[in-house]
Amino acid sequence: MKASSSSFFISFAAIISHGVYGAYDTIQGRSCFRSLDGMMESMNDLSNNYPDLVSIEDIGDSYLKNNNGRPDGKYDIPLGGYDIYALKVTDSKSARQSNAKGKMLITSGVHARELATPELLGRFVETLVHGHKKDADITWILQHNEIHCILYVNPDGRYMAEKYPNLRWRKNLNPAGGCGDDSYGVDINRNMDFMWAYADGSSRNPCDSDFHGRAAETEPETQALADYARRLFPASQRKKNPESERNKPFGEDITGMYVDIHSSGGYVYYPWGHINSQSPDDAALQALGRKMNYFNQYKMWAGGQKDFLYPASGDISDWMYAALGVASMG
């Protein structure tokens, strides 16, 4: 697997000491975390101030925007829903053109209640932008690579998590299933179209926190993420049938890297996640995982590792690797 990662890890490890603050709205009671609105305002300002380094694309709509919102009866639901945005961070004036640059995709905010993840990713974006032509590693990264970031994969859920923190909202806001006011929705990280609903890696109960949805890739948030990733990473390295070919290695010639940021547990997560066994490219994926582990000392959560906690089927990390042939971490 080709994933030029050493410079990335150096910069990512330095992010905590490079917080960038401004007059942006923050989450009530958590002044160091920008709110959904405050974060997107700051990212738009960053793009306007550094147009050669940052661009923003609308890649899809949330469930509520697709369904025109709805009355809830108990909670204040955002009637308009949200657009889902992807940021591209790269030196657009470098000699190397886009088709020759490495591609990395980082997501956060999949599980709405994990409040820290968009802030961490937002600060990483700011670290890259403000370090360009000042830090040699960052300058090289942006000249040779594109870093794509989706800060809020699940913006409807994020709205609920910020406004009603006591609910600890995790899923999107799809009300199908007849659940109560605080337990409905689909877990985006169980809705991907690889080993969906496999064994006990997700729930068939719409009221459970890991409900996988009525079918694979049903949710607009899932579709927006999957479609963007399909456009980003090369089709030439994909398998025709990822599930039946899941034990066949990709080898050393695939490109691209994916990271899904979560804020619970202290684990480095990589395939396989749907089953406690090693993927056919375990040596390469484990090497990348241990590079992360060197900086954060997190435990290794992957098939075949002693700290594998439980299976997660239909999850994003497994899908990125199995369906798109991308080195994938969570």
Side-chain angles (χ1 to χ4, degrees):
M1 289 185 175
K2 297 177 181 177
S4 299
S5 56
S6 57
S7 294
F8 162 73
F9 289 119
I10 290 171
S11 297
F12 201 75
I15 191 173
I16 299 301
S17 61
H18 192 84
V20 180
Y21 297 95
Y24 298 107
D25 186 56
T26 60
I27 299 173
Q28 186 175 2
R30 297 178 183 269
S31 60
C32 59
F33 292 170
R34 280 163 284 189
S35 68
L36 169 60
D37 292 338
M39 177 61 77
M40 292 315 303
E41 181 184 359
S42 69
M43 292 297 107
N44 280 312
D45 286 348
L46 197 68
S47 177
N48 292 332
N49 292 332
Y50 298 91
D52 295 333
L53 296 178
V54 183
S55 59
I56 301 178
E57 178 183 349
D58 183 343
I59 65 169
D61 299 331
S62 69
Y63 177 86
L64 290 181
K65 187 158 188 179
N66 274 278
N67 292 274
N68 298 318
R70 59 182 178 77
D72 180 85
K74 184 175 181 180
Y75 298 107
D76 177 20
I77 302 297
L79 294 179
Y82 291 93
D83 295 312
I84 299 172
Y85 293 102
L87 285 74
K88 179 172 72 174
V89 188
T90 189
D91 184 349
S92 62
K93 291 191 172 181
S94 64
R96 187 173 293 237
Q97 298 300 305
S98 178
N99 60 3
K101 289 184 175 181
K103 305 295 194 297
M104 183 178 202
L105 175 60
I106 312 175
T107 55
S108 60
V110 173
H111 289 150
R113 65 192 180 197
E114 297 174 14
L115 298 180
T117 62
E119 182 65 40
L120 179 62
L121 184 51
R123 293 193 199 186
F124 179 54
V125 169
E126 291 162 339
T127 298
L128 293 175
V129 171
H130 295 299
H132 182 246
K133 293 188 176 179
K134 298 176 183 177
D135 179 282
D137 286 323
I138 291 175
T139 302
W140 183 93
I141 288 172
L142 297 186
Q143 288 175 342
H144 292 81
N145 301 277
E146 294 177 359
I147 312 300
H148 296 251
C149 304
I150 306 174
L151 276 72
Y152 297 96
V153 175
N154 179 15
D156 288 348
R158 180 65 177 212
Y159 171 90
M160 294 296 287
E162 291 184 7
K163 190 173 181 76
Y164 305 105
N166 59 305
L167 296 180
R168 292 183 47 79
W169 203 276
R170 170 183 165 105
K171 302 184 284 183
N172 76 350
L173 263 64
N174 183 343
C179 301
D181 291 328
D182 59 358
S183 60
Y184 59 85
V186 174
D187 184 350
I188 304 304
N189 205 30
R190 300 293 189 275
N191 190 236
M192 302 301 291
D193 193 11
F194 175 76
M195 306 308 289
W196 176 83
Y198 177 77
D200 58 350
S202 60
S203 175
R204 292 171 173 79
N205 184 345
C207 305
D208 285 346
S209 64
D210 59 347
F211 174 52
H212 50 50
R214 299 300 186 186
E217 208 173 307
T218 53
E219 304 311 294
E221 297 89 351
T222 312
Q223 294 163 9
L225 171 58
D227 288 345
Y228 189 75
R230 291 185 185 108
R231 287 193 285 122
L232 182 62
F233 298 117
S236 58
Q237 66 188 29
R238 301 173 196 170
K239 297 173 180 176
K240 290 184 178 180
N241 192 322
E243 291 194 0
S244 65
E245 298 179 73
R246 65 185 180 275
N247 294 320
K248 178 182 177 181
F250 282 96
E252 295 297 319
D253 294 325
I254 64 173
T255 64
M257 187 167 181
Y258 172 72
V259 175
D260 185 23
I261 304 175
H262 291 264
S263 64
S264 176
Y267 291 91
V268 175
Y269 181 98
Y270 61 88
W272 291 131
H274 70 277
I275 191 170
N276 188 10
S277 64
Q278 294 180 345
S279 77
D281 293 292
D282 182 77
L285 292 170
Q286 185 175 158
L288 286 172
R290 292 197 180 280
K291 284 194 175 188
M292 287 191 175
N293 166 265
Y294 175 81
F295 291 105
N296 57 29
Q297 304 301 305
Y298 286 180
K299 297 176 181 179
M300 309 292 281
W301 180 349
Q305 291 287 343
K306 66 182 180 65
D307 290 311
F308 182 92
L309 284 187
Y310 53 80
S313 57
D315 78 290
I316 303 170
S317 183
D318 271 11
W319 181 84
M320 289 283 179
Y321 162 66
L324 303 186
V326 175
S328 181
M329 302 279 125

